[in-house]
PDB file of all heavy atoms in Angstrom:
ATOM      1  N   PRO A  65       3.767  17.846  16.255  1.00  0.00           N
ATOM      2  CA  PRO A  65       4.673  17.958  17.472  1.00  0.00           C
ATOM      3  C   PRO A  65       3.923  18.289  18.762  1.00  0.00           C
ATOM      4  O   PRO A  65       4.282  19.224  19.431  1.00  0.00           O
ATOM      5  CB  PRO A  65       5.690  18.954  17.011  1.00  0.00           C
ATOM      6  CG  PRO A  65       4.795  19.868  16.135  1.00  0.00           C
ATOM      7  CD  PRO A  65       3.838  19.010  15.476  1.00  0.00           C
ATOM      8  N   GLY A  66       3.056  17.475  19.180  1.00  0.00           N
ATOM      9  CA  GLY A  66       2.310  17.655  20.415  1.00  0.00           C
ATOM     10  C   GLY A  66       1.481  16.383  20.730  1.00  0.00           C
ATOM     11  O   GLY A  66       1.470  15.446  19.790  1.00  0.00           O
ATOM     12  N   VAL A  67       0.793  16.421  21.804  1.00  0.00           N
ATOM     13  CA  VAL A  67      -0.098  15.273  22.187  1.00  0.00           C
ATOM     14  C   VAL A  67      -1.307  15.291  21.166  1.00  0.00           C
ATOM     15  O   VAL A  67      -1.942  16.303  20.979  1.00  0.00           O
ATOM     16  CB  VAL A  67      -0.582  15.373  23.650  1.00  0.00           C
ATOM     17  CG1 VAL A  67      -1.751  14.440  23.889  1.00  0.00           C
ATOM     18  CG2 VAL A  67       0.541  15.231  24.566  1.00  0.00           C
ATOM     19  N   ALA A  77       3.689  22.642  22.348  1.00  0.00           N
ATOM     20  CA  ALA A  77       4.772  23.401  22.984  1.00  0.00           C
ATOM     21  C   ALA A  77       5.565  24.163  21.974  1.00  0.00           C
ATOM     22  O   ALA A  77       6.040  25.332  22.299  1.00  0.00           O
ATOM     23  CB  ALA A  77       5.717  22.448  23.632  1.00  0.00           C
ATOM     24  N   ASN A  78       5.734  23.769  20.738  1.00  0.00           N
ATOM     25  CA  ASN A  78       6.503  24.432  19.776  1.00  0.00           C
ATOM     26  C   ASN A  78       5.881  24.948  18.555  1.00  0.00           C
ATOM     27  O   ASN A  78       6.511  25.291  17.543  1.00  0.00           O
ATOM     28  CB  ASN A  78       7.756  23.493  19.404  1.00  0.00           C
ATOM     29  CG  ASN A  78       8.651  23.239  20.544  1.00  0.00           C
ATOM     30  OD1 ASN A  78       9.111  24.228  21.216  1.00  0.00           O
ATOM     31  ND2 ASN A  78       8.861  21.978  20.860  1.00  0.00           N
ATOM     32  N   ASN A 104       1.271  11.697  17.166  1.00  0.00           N
ATOM     33  CA  ASN A 104       2.435  12.399  17.756  1.00  0.00           C
ATOM     34  C   ASN A 104       3.582  12.164  16.867  1.00  0.00           C
ATOM     35  O   ASN A 104       3.873  10.969  16.453  1.00  0.00           O
ATOM     36  CB  ASN A 104       2.715  11.998  19.200  1.00  0.00           C
ATOM     37  CG  ASN A 104       3.897  12.619  19.702  1.00  0.00           C
ATOM     38  OD1 ASN A 104       5.001  11.920  19.747  1.00  0.00           O
ATOM     39  ND2 ASN A 104       3.893  13.837  20.126  1.00  0.00           N
ATOM     40  N   ASP A 105       4.609  13.186  16.647  1.00  0.00           N
ATOM     41  CA  ASP A 105       5.671  12.978  15.787  1.00  0.00           C
ATOM     42  C   ASP A 105       6.706  11.886  16.312  1.00  0.00           C
ATOM     43  O   ASP A 105       7.128  11.026  15.454  1.00  0.00           O
ATOM     44  CB  ASP A 105       6.429  14.300  15.542  1.00  0.00           C
ATOM     45  CG  ASP A 105       6.883  15.086  16.784  1.00  0.00           C
ATOM     46  OD1 ASP A 105       6.520  14.486  17.915  1.00  0.00           O
ATOM     47  OD2 ASP A 105       7.507  16.073  16.694  1.00  0.00           O
ATOM     48  N   ALA A 106       7.003  11.860  17.641  1.00  0.00           N
ATOM     49  CA  ALA A 106       7.997  10.921  18.097  1.00  0.00           C
ATOM     50  C   ALA A 106       7.228   9.586  18.072  1.00  0.00           C
ATOM     51  O   ALA A 106       8.017   8.517  17.814  1.00  0.00           O
ATOM     52  CB  ALA A 106       8.286  11.278  19.500  1.00  0.00           C
ATOM     53  N   GLY A 134      12.216  20.355  19.781  1.00  0.00           N
ATOM     54  CA  GLY A 134      11.985  19.870  21.199  1.00  0.00           C
ATOM     55  C   GLY A 134      12.659  18.483  21.404  1.00  0.00           C
ATOM     56  O   GLY A 134      13.596  18.182  20.566  1.00  0.00           O
ATOM     57  N   ILE A 135      12.149  17.809  22.425  1.00  0.00           N
ATOM     58  CA  ILE A 135      12.606  16.457  22.577  1.00  0.00           C
ATOM     59  C   ILE A 135      11.293  15.579  22.507  1.00  0.00           C
ATOM     60  O   ILE A 135      10.401  15.875  23.335  1.00  0.00           O
ATOM     61  CB  ILE A 135      13.401  16.182  23.808  1.00  0.00           C
ATOM     62  CG1 ILE A 135      14.785  16.990  23.835  1.00  0.00           C
ATOM     63  CG2 ILE A 135      13.633  14.672  24.010  1.00  0.00           C
ATOM     64  CD1 ILE A 135      15.620  16.691  25.164  1.00  0.00           C
ATOM     65  N   GLY A 136      11.207  14.797  21.601  1.00  0.00           N
ATOM     66  CA  GLY A 136      10.043  13.814  21.545  1.00  0.00           C
ATOM     67  C   GLY A 136      10.371  12.439  22.101  1.00  0.00           C
ATOM     68  O   GLY A 136      11.568  12.106  22.125  1.00  0.00           O
ATOM     69  N   GLU A 150       5.544  12.221  26.056  1.00  0.00           N
ATOM     70  CA  GLU A 150       5.988  13.465  26.451  1.00  0.00           C
ATOM     71  C   GLU A 150       7.182  13.594  27.448  1.00  0.00           C
ATOM     72  O   GLU A 150       7.137  14.442  28.249  1.00  0.00           O
ATOM     73  CB  GLU A 150       4.799  14.379  27.062  1.00  0.00           C
ATOM     74  CG  GLU A 150       3.699  14.586  26.025  1.00  0.00           C
ATOM     75  CD  GLU A 150       4.144  15.610  24.861  1.00  0.00           C
ATOM     76  OE1 GLU A 150       4.654  16.540  25.137  1.00  0.00           O
ATOM     77  OE2 GLU A 150       4.008  15.152  23.712  1.00  0.00           O
ATOM     78  N   HIS A 153       9.424  16.824  28.446  1.00  0.00           N
ATOM     79  CA  HIS A 153       9.090  17.826  29.410  1.00  0.00           C
ATOM     80  C   HIS A 153       9.253  17.393  30.835  1.00  0.00           C
ATOM     81  O   HIS A 153       8.775  18.149  31.793  1.00  0.00           O
ATOM     82  CB  HIS A 153       7.576  18.275  29.210  1.00  0.00           C
ATOM     83  CG  HIS A 153       7.286  18.793  27.810  1.00  0.00           C
ATOM     84  ND1 HIS A 153       7.738  20.061  27.445  1.00  0.00           N
ATOM     85  CD2 HIS A 153       6.671  18.320  26.774  1.00  0.00           C
ATOM     86  CE1 HIS A 153       7.419  20.289  26.135  1.00  0.00           C
ATOM     87  NE2 HIS A 153       6.682  19.190  25.762  1.00  0.00           N
ATOM     88  N   GLU A 162      13.814  19.532  27.403  1.00  0.00           N
ATOM     89  CA  GLU A 162      14.069  19.939  26.038  1.00  0.00           C
ATOM     90  C   GLU A 162      14.570  21.378  25.856  1.00  0.00           C
ATOM     91  O   GLU A 162      15.254  21.718  24.885  1.00  0.00           O
ATOM     92  CB  GLU A 162      12.742  19.790  25.117  1.00  0.00           C
ATOM     93  CG  GLU A 162      11.652  20.783  25.353  1.00  0.00           C
ATOM     94  CD  GLU A 162      10.497  20.569  24.408  1.00  0.00           C
ATOM     95  OE1 GLU A 162      10.354  19.522  23.861  1.00  0.00           O
ATOM     96  OE2 GLU A 162       9.694  21.545  24.245  1.00  0.00           O
TER      97      GLU A 162
HETATM   98  C1  BGC B   1       6.205  18.160  22.271  1.00  0.00           C
HETATM   99  C2  BGC B   1       6.038  16.665  21.916  1.00  0.00           C
HETATM  100  C3  BGC B   1       6.824  16.411  20.649  1.00  0.00           C
HETATM  101  C4  BGC B   1       8.278  16.946  20.853  1.00  0.00           C
HETATM  102  C5  BGC B   1       9.092  16.767  19.553  1.00  0.00           C
HETATM  103  C6  BGC B   1       7.629  18.480  22.456  1.00  0.00           C
HETATM  104  O1  BGC B   1       7.730  19.751  22.781  1.00  0.00           O
HETATM  105  O2  BGC B   1       5.467  18.320  23.548  1.00  0.00           O
HETATM  106  O3  BGC B   1       4.711  16.304  21.664  1.00  0.00           O
HETATM  107  O4  BGC B   1       6.869  15.034  20.391  1.00  0.00           O
HETATM  108  O5  BGC B   1       8.344  18.232  21.232  1.00  0.00           O
HETATM  109  O6  BGC B   1       8.603  17.458  18.551  1.00  0.00           O
END
Side-chain angles (χ1 to χ4, degrees):
V67 170
N78 294 308
N104 172 263
D105 56 355
I135 296 179
E150 294 292 310
H153 298 291
E162 70 176 23

